[in-house]
């Protein structure tokens, strides 16, 4: 049985053809699904004979909601979801004045091994399919009873380690038959897998590319991000330059400030030299302290100084507002604490 959420309109039309049905039925079914009707039997304009075939070949697979956590501070909601194979993932719904934004997971766990990140504890279990990523949004919209207009791929997982599924997901959420979310309302965050940045540039999408830089030189980066042993900052910036040329889009650099590791004035100067002249924006993130890791958050004073150095040197910089800090909203934290609480082993969930 296939998950119909994994299908693009083109693929569903092909299925119709192969099964002796009219192609226009594909669009009707997509309309129902993305309107929130998730049983073929409830699709009133679909003939009974086709419903039978659909029930035979497809499921509309949605994850089970294990828990919903709501921040008392800012109304951020975090969902803990169980997939068909009982693997757990999480997504976060945030309220902004421009609308509702969702942070989704792209993999169960992550194998990138960043030293400050909870998603990597326990490694990578498996990739999510395009439909599983879509279902995070569908379920979230049902929970809040509101349309989600913005997506960030910043939950658990490395999107470029699951490239084909992520690109297909982006196509479906952007399509007018799908969720119809504009590409400019989508941000993909990567730890910097250079060949995939180059590949995405060729797709000529208008999404925002965010690079998790977190250090101003390779030596420091290697201490906190194993991927830095494979690709240098120079290679990353060159790939970003190409991405900007191909798409005209401004790139975001994420920089999690860790006390005593990457938050000195010298680091800020080095970072500003790296990014000089590039169409970019720096997002400073006070590191979220997680209990499995020793890293501590920079002081507010240091964060402000760091920002000031960058701004004075012409680099547009913002400090990320912490959302849902009272509900373990940083990626991977919720899943970890649930696994520990319920004593489910990584293999077993
Ligand atoms: N793998 C992708 C996307 C997932 S992580 C990436 O590396 O970009 C999303 C962002 O959260 C990344 O910038 C990541 O480095 C950051 N992050 C992870 N753990 C964090 C923590 N404990 N505190 C602050 N930011 C964190």
């Amino acid at each position: 049985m296939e998950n119909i959420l994994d299908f693009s309109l083109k693929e569903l039309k092909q299925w119709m053809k192969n099964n002796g049905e009219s192609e226009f039925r594909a669009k009707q079914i997509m309309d129902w699904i993305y309107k929130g009707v998730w049983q073929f039997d409830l699709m009133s304009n679909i003939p009974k004979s086709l419903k039978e075939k659909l029930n035979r070949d497809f499921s509309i697979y949605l994850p089970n909601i294990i828990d919903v956590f709501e921040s008392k501070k800012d109304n951020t909601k975090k969902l803990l979801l169980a997939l068909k194979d009982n693997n757990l993932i999480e997504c976060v719904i945030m309220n902004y004045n421009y609308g509702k934004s969702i942070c989704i997971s792209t993999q169960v766990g992550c194998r990138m091994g960043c030293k400050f990140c909870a998603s990597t504890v326990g490694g990578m279990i498996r990739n999510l399919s395009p439909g599983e990523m879509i279902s995070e949004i569908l379920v979230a919209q049902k929970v809040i009873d509101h349309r989600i207009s913005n997506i960030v791929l910043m939950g658990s997982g490395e999107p470029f380690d699951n490239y084909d599924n992520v690109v297909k997901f982006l196509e479906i959420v952007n399509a007018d038959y799908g969720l119809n979310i504009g590409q400019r309302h989508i941000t993909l965050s990567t730890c910097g897998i250079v060949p995939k940045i180059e590949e995405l540039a060729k797709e000529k999408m208008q999404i925002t590319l965010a690079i998790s830089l977190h250090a101003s030189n390779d030596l420091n980066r290697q201490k906190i991000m194993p991927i830095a042993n494979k690709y240098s900052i120079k290679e990353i910036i060159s790939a970003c330059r190409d991405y900007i040329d191909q798409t005209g889009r401004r790139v975001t650099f994420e920089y999690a400030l860790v006390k005593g590791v990457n938050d000195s004035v010298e680091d800020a100067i080095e970072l500003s030299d790296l990014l000089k002249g590039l169409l970019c924006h720096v997002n400073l993130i006070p590191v979220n302290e997680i209990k499995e890791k020793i890293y501590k958050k920079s002081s507010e004073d240091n964060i402000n100084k760091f920002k000031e150095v960058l701004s004075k040197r012409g680099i547009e910089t913002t400090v990320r507002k912490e959302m849902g800090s009272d509900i373990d909203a940083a990626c991977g934290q919720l899943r970890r604490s649930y696994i520990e609480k319920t004593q489910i082993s990584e293999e077993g969930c």
Side-chain angles (χ1 to χ4, degrees), residues 116-117 154-155 157-159 189-191 212 214 254 285 287-288 331:
F116 45 82
C117 180
M154 288 191 187
E158 166 51 45
S189 177
T190 175
C191 62
S212 299
H214 305 324
E254 293 156 278
I285 314 163
V287 81
N288 243 300
C331 56

Side-chain angles (χ1 to χ4, degrees), residues 71-320:
S71 167
K72 297 202 168 50
K73 290 183 184 168
D74 52 32
N75 213 12
T76 296
K77 281 195 184 64
K78 183 143 189 169
L79 312 186
L80 184 67
L81 306 172
L83 301 170
K84 196 159 68 182
D85 59 4
N86 288 330
N87 269 307
L88 296 172
I89 54 167
E90 49 195 273
C91 62
V92 186
I93 311 160
M94 293 156 290
N95 295 299
Y96 290 105
N97 46 17
Y98 53 75
K100 310 277 181 194
S101 180
I102 187 167
C103 173
I104 66 147
S105 296
T106 55
Q107 295 179 312
V108 181
C110 183
R111 62 181 179 138
M112 294 298 124
C114 299
K115 295 276 164 49
F116 45 82
C117 180
S119 301
T120 67
V121 181
M124 206 270 273
I125 312 291
R126 70 170 176 85
N127 283 330
L128 296 189
S129 75
E132 285 174 323
M133 291 180 245
I134 290 167
S135 67
E136 294 178 59
I137 306 173
L138 294 180
V139 165
Q141 290 188 145
K142 272 266 157 86
V143 168
I144 60 172
D145 194 22
H146 202 282
R147 178 173 185 264
I148 285 174
S149 56
N150 291 263
I151 309 171
V152 295
L153 280 67
M154 288 191 187
S156 293
E158 166 51 45
F160 283 165
D161 193 32
N162 185 16
Y163 185 87
D164 291 343
N165 286 348
V166 164
V167 168
K168 188 170 183 193
F169 159 79
L170 293 173
E171 275 168 22
I172 299 174
V173 292
N174 175 236
D176 51 11
Y177 69 78
L179 285 170
N180 203 7
I181 297 178
Q183 289 179 344
R184 287 167 179 247
H185 294 238
I186 302 173
T187 299
L188 182 152
S189 177
T190 175
C191 62
I193 299 178
V194 169
K196 297 298 177 192
I197 300 175
E198 291 163 355
E199 213 173 318
L200 188 73
K202 291 198 194 95
E203 315 269 359
K204 297 240 170 22
M205 285 192 221
Q206 285 293 297
I207 64 171
T208 301
L209 177 67
I211 306 285
S212 299
L213 200 61
H214 305 324
S216 55
N217 60 62
D218 288 325
L219 217 63
N220 261 356
R221 197 163 190 262
Q222 283 156 9
K223 285 184 197 152
I224 51 175
M225 299 179 73
I227 195 72
N229 294 299
K230 201 156 179 191
Y231 304 108
S232 67
I233 292 179
K234 202 170 156 215
E235 289 171 305
I236 292 175
I237 296 206
S238 157
C240 286
R241 195 162 279 128
D242 175 54
Y243 186 86
I244 296 163
D245 286 347
Q246 302 263 358
T247 63
R249 297 289 291 157
R250 185 177 75 161
V251 169
T252 297
F253 289 95
E254 293 156 278
Y255 196 105
L257 286 158
V258 189
K259 192 175 188 172
V261 173
N262 62 3
D263 64 342
S264 69
V265 167
E266 291 73 35
D267 289 315
I269 292 172
E270 197 172 28
L271 181 62
S272 66
D273 287 342
L274 276 177
L275 303 181
K276 206 180 291 164
L278 203 67
L279 181 64
C280 73
H281 167 259
V282 171
N283 201 352
L284 298 174
I285 314 163
V287 81
N288 243 300
E289 295 171 11
I290 59 166
K291 72 174 180 355
E292 290 87 349
K293 312 279 179 181
I294 50 163
Y295 295 106
K296 295 272 167 259
K297 195 182 288 193
S298 299
S299 66
E300 217 175 300
D301 194 36
N302 261 26
I303 296 173
N304 290 336
K305 265 193 203 133
F306 203 95
K307 178 175 187 285
E308 209 180 291
V309 173
L310 289 175
S311 301
K312 274 205 177 124
R313 300 178 126 241
I315 311 287
E316 200 182 304
T317 308
T318 48
V319 178
R320 182 180 297 167

Side-chain angles (χ1 to χ4, degrees), residues 16-34:
M16 292 293 162
K17 228 166 139 182
N18 297 346
N19 285 273
E21 299 285 345
S22 305
E23 283 187 24
F24 77 91
R25 296 289 182 198
K27 173 75 166 60
Q28 288 181 322
I29 290 159
M30 289 292 189
D31 285 344
W32 284 112
I33 292 172
Y34 290 101

